Amino acid sequence: MSLTISFAARTDMGHMRKSNQDSGYAGSHLLVLADGMGGPAGGDIASSIAVAHLAVLDADTQKPEDLLHLLRSHIADAHAELIERSGQDAELHGLGTTCIAILRSGNKLAMTHIGDSRAYLLRGGELNQVTTDHSFVQYLVESGQITPEQAENHPQRSVLLRVLGDSSSEIVLDESLREAIVGDRWMLCSDGLSGVVSAQTIAEVLLNEPDPGAACDQLVDLALKAGGPDNVTVVIGDIVETNDASGEISDVPQIVGAAATDRLAKTRDAASSAGRANQLTAAPPPLPYNEDARPHRSRRTLGIFLGILAFLVGGGFLGWTWTQSQFYVSTHNGKVAIYQGIPQKIGGFSLSHLKETTNLQVSDLEPVARRRLQTPVTRSSLSEARQVVRNFEREHRDGELQKSQNTGKSTSPSNGSAPGSSAPTKQGD
Ligand code: CA
């Protein structure tokens, strides 16, 4: 018997934001959560780059004693790339991202953390927050200037003291090495969940729903029902036993949010280093990592290019098989539709095709739902994609019902502003 991680990752843009700047990654050796910031141009790039640099570590070749060093050096590379990108493009000035990564080798786990995304551990029926927020309000709490209760509604609760990204100051990560214990459930989330759903409610879901995917879905739903003011992303990893000596399980890694979409390709030069990094996140689990052969930064760009080339030529079949196990919900001829594959292109070659259309007209949907569909909603099975469609249908029916109930009543005055126009913004967001 050996250990592995049974995992799931889910995200939703939320009701107030115009794009999803969170990225999540879940695999049998690696869990990552990154919450990007820096406006519409920068936030999704920042979190995508963090995930892209870390995704290559999801392999069973790492030695336990190397785990922390690997995380540290790959995060340093992501940080350097963010600074480089920001220096090249004034629009990206101020971009940054939080980042939590858990990397496993056998029964050892290494964790690094920076920012205000959170890691929780459910063990023996008890949920504990493992990370400390690197936020201004956390500093005020720790220095006794405000209470934790006051922190919850503090006007500056989104101000972060430490992030990866556009800052010349040295990055300071919280680091830890831990045992992977069978039965442990790890949950990483962006503040889109922890900011609106109580730890007690989170604990109830994690205790009562054994399936990681279903638990992620429930948590995302709770954040949406609480108003969904921010992008919400949840990554769950359960430590389980497996008969497979390699510690692999059959599930393919799940990549969600900005890292899983091609928004980057639409908005900037797809040949840029960030574009390639973003595209690489859609590639299958990468080649085993070899520290000695690790390219220097100047050579890494070439390495990323070669990675794309390998994907197209040598690794094409494996890559194609992986992409075709994925699904997403988007639009087709004005209707909600399900696509098989991933919403990305490599070298102009689409990695998805239309799987099925629905009768749900996009124009009939509520504005909030229409905005959510601007970013493809990615899922790792057809049934999960159909569930997304059913959720849209249910919301549409509920909206119609509400309208019919309101018919005849005097309508409240409207200032015509778009819902969410007064959404709270993270500093630099
Ligand atoms: Ca956030």
Side-chain angles (χ1 to χ4, degrees):
M1 280 286 189
S2 58
L3 296 188
T4 189
I5 299 178
S6 172
F7 55 81
R10 297 285 191 276
T11 192
D12 196 286
M13 191 167 75
H15 293 317
M16 304 285 197
R17 302 288 187 165
K18 294 189 176 71
S19 66
N20 195 340
Q21 305 191 347
D22 286 358
S23 291
Y25 181 100
S28 54
H29 294 87
L30 179 74
L31 307 170
V32 183
L33 193 133
D35 175 351
M37 64 206 71
D44 53 351
I45 293 176
S47 69
S48 297
I49 286 175
V51 167
H53 279 271
L54 288 164
V56 293
L57 296 174
D58 189 11
D60 66 352
T61 50
Q62 328 302 3
K63 297 193 191 100
E65 60 270 29
D66 293 339
L67 294 177
L68 271 178
H69 169 71
L70 287 167
L71 286 174
R72 227 178 268 143
S73 68
H74 282 247
I75 287 170
D77 279 353
H79 183 61
E81 174 146 12
L82 292 174
I83 293 172
E84 182 185 301
R85 293 280 309 158
S86 171
Q88 289 168 352
D89 187 343
E91 250 187 86
L92 300 182
H93 186 72
L95 88 172
T97 185
T98 72
C99 186
I100 296 181
I102 294 178
L103 182 62
R104 180 184 70 85
S105 172
N107 67 342
K108 297 291 178 205
L109 296 177
M111 183 167 83
T112 56
H113 157 59
I114 186 165
D116 70 344
S117 300
R118 290 183 177 175
Y120 290 85
L121 172 61
L122 184 73
R123 177 180 286 173
E126 198 176 309
L127 186 72
N128 281 299
Q129 183 182 334
V130 176
T131 51
T132 304
D133 297 348
H134 299 149
S135 62
F136 180 58
V137 292
Q138 181 64 29
Y139 162 77
L140 294 178
V141 170
E142 285 173 6
S143 57
Q145 298 178 57
I146 61 170
T147 65
E149 292 69 36
Q150 288 170 321
E152 283 174 20
N153 296 308
H154 196 281
Q156 287 171 301
R157 64 188 180 282
S158 295
V159 176
L160 300 186
L161 300 181
R162 288 196 244 159
V163 286
L164 293 184
D166 188 10
S167 155
S168 54
S169 56
E170 191 76 1
I171 48 165
V172 182
L173 301 171
D174 287 353
E175 302 177 347
S176 55
L177 262 180
R178 295 158 189 275
E179 296 285 317
I181 295 175
V182 173
D184 278 359
R185 165 169 276 191
W186 289 87
M187 192 276 283
L188 315 183
C189 66
S190 59
D191 63 338
L193 177 73
S194 56
V196 293
V197 179
S198 72
Q200 192 189 338
T201 305
I202 291 172
E204 280 164 18
V205 171
L206 293 175
L207 266 171
N208 294 323
E209 176 49 67
D211 178 67
C216 282
D217 283 334
Q218 286 183 31
L219 291 172
V220 169
D221 278 351
L222 283 170
L224 294 176
K225 284 186 182 125
D230 195 2
N231 304 149
V232 52
T233 304
V234 181
V235 173
I236 290 179
D238 291 338
I239 308 298
V240 295
E241 281 183 318
T242 174
N243 289 321
D244 185 340
S246 73
E248 299 282 357
I249 54 176
S250 58
D251 291 346
V252 291
Q254 294 180 13
I255 307 171
V256 297
T261 72
D262 65 348
R263 286 193 72 247
L264 199 59
K266 283 179 199 154
T267 54
R268 24 210 90 250
D269 178 9
S272 69
S273 58
R276 286 191 294 272
N278 183 270
Q279 285 171 329
L280 264 194
T281 61
L287 300 170
Y289 181 86
N290 179 345
E291 181 65 18
D292 293 331
R294 189 154 174 260
H296 294 294
R297 226 187 117 50
S298 55
R299 287 162 53 201
R300 185 164 45 76
T301 304
L302 176 66
I304 290 170
F305 175 74
L306 291 176
I308 291 282
L309 205 62
F311 179 90
L312 288 170
V313 184
F317 176 71
L318 184 62
W320 178 254
T321 305
W322 178 76
T323 63
Q324 297 309 298
S325 68
Q326 305 293 302
F327 294 83
Y328 65 93
V329 179
S330 187
T331 60
H332 177 72
N333 288 343
K335 289 180 174 172
V336 178
I338 296 176
Y339 291 78
Q340 183 168 7
I342 56 174
Q344 254 175 317
K345 287 189 176 127
I346 291 184
F349 180 68
S350 173
L351 296 177
S352 66
H353 62 273
L354 185 65
K355 177 72 178 170
E356 55 194 47
T357 51
T358 70
N359 290 322
L360 199 55
Q361 290 282 353
V362 178
S363 56
D364 289 344
L365 297 176
E366 299 295 307
V368 163
R370 288 204 298 272
R371 273 211 311 280
R372 279 163 66 196
L373 273 170
Q374 285 172 5
T375 303
V377 183
T378 53
R379 290 292 184 268
S380 53
S381 73
L382 181 58
S383 61
E384 289 171 14
R386 284 175 176 156
Q387 183 59 49
V388 171
V389 172
R390 281 196 290 276
N391 290 346
F392 276 119
E393 286 169 342
R394 194 194 60 225
E395 285 173 22
H396 173 56
R397 276 198 307 273
D398 291 351
E400 290 296 300
L401 193 63
Q402 189 77 40
K403 276 180 210 157
S404 68
Q405 284 172 349
N406 288 344
T407 305
K409 291 181 190 170
S410 64
T411 51
S412 58
S414 165
N415 60 11
S417 66
S421 58
S422 60
T425 53
K426 180 165 278 184
Q427 185 193 40
D429 217 0

